[in-house]
Amino acid sequence: MPRPDKVQAVEDIKGYFSASSSSFLTEYRSLPVAAQQELRRTLREAGARYRVLKMTLTKRALHDLGHEDLDEWLTGPTAVAFVEDDPVLAAKALVAFSRDNEGLVIKAGMLDGRYIGAEQVARLATLDSRDVLLSKVAGAFNAPLARGASLLGSFTRNAASMFSQLLEKKEEE
């Protein structure tokens, strides 16, 4: 019979994974406490929460959610960054921090319920943020409209110029 505190811990972990759009597994074996605090602060600014979890309970929670593909990465001192907002910002923060601190190793991640490897997390970090991508899409939609408005404006401008020239010509005659 499982202990009630462990059952509650599994439910909490399932809640973390369910509430997050993505999550990243990291190993923090030789990372000093001060660096871990800096990492937590950096990830909080990027819209993520960094949690050190008991791996047996995490495995159980992931199995309950139907994610058995992360079992190989749930060994050793593993912490999870749970991302609620834009996964690109959190991936950028993790990759930049791991570049500066060799003690942090990015193992794997989950993006919208799919497993991604460490290489894909690094590639994700090279993308523009969601806000930048949305503004680029909006600009792409806006460009043809702006060109069309300019073209329609040129017809009236050209017509007005032609009429004023005709009027000047008639006045001269």
Side-chain angles (χ1 to χ4, degrees):
M1 179 98 185
R3 293 191 346 218
D5 58 329
K6 296 208 181 213
V7 171
Q8 182 60 44
V10 170
E11 290 301 317
D12 290 344
I13 294 169
K14 287 194 311 193
Y16 296 150
F17 278 103
S18 297
S20 62
S21 63
S22 59
S23 55
F24 302 110
L25 302 173
T26 62
E27 182 177 324
Y28 61 96
R29 189 178 307 266
S30 61
L31 202 60
V33 174
Q36 288 181 28
Q37 290 173 339
E38 181 186 343
L39 176 61
R40 286 178 196 273
R41 190 173 27 261
T42 304
L43 286 173
R44 197 175 314 115
E45 291 169 0
R49 290 178 293 158
Y50 194 64
R51 302 240 189 242
V52 176
L53 303 170
K54 187 165 175 62
M55 288 301 106
T56 54
L57 299 178
T58 304
K59 282 182 187 179
R60 186 164 293 155
L62 285 172
H63 284 214
D64 289 351
L65 293 173
H67 298 291
E68 290 87 14
D69 48 356
L70 291 174
D71 279 357
E72 66 181 281
W73 301 109
L74 295 174
T75 58
T78 302
V80 184
F82 294 102
V83 183
E84 296 169 356
D85 297 327
D86 189 4
V88 174
L89 294 176
K92 284 183 182 191
L94 280 172
V95 169
F97 195 87
S98 69
R99 209 175 302 127
D100 297 337
N101 299 287
E102 293 179 8
L104 182 73
V105 177
I106 301 170
K107 291 180 167 185
M110 277 182 27
L111 186 62
D112 294 326
R114 289 189 330 245
Y115 160 78
I116 59 173
E119 310 83 33
Q120 292 167 322
V121 173
R123 261 192 274 147
L124 182 65
T126 62
L127 293 177
D128 290 330
S129 70
R130 182 178 188 274
D131 293 336
V132 171
L133 290 175
L134 286 175
S135 65
K136 285 182 178 180
V137 168
F141 281 129
N142 190 28
L145 294 175
R147 273 190 251 123
S150 173
L151 182 64
L152 290 175
S154 69
F155 289 139
T156 58
R157 195 173 39 252
N158 291 345
S161 173
M162 182 183 70
F163 290 135
S164 69
Q165 288 174 1
L166 281 174
L167 186 61
E168 288 175 8
K169 189 173 182 182
K170 278 197 169 214
E171 289 175 356
E172 289 176 0
E173 292 177 359

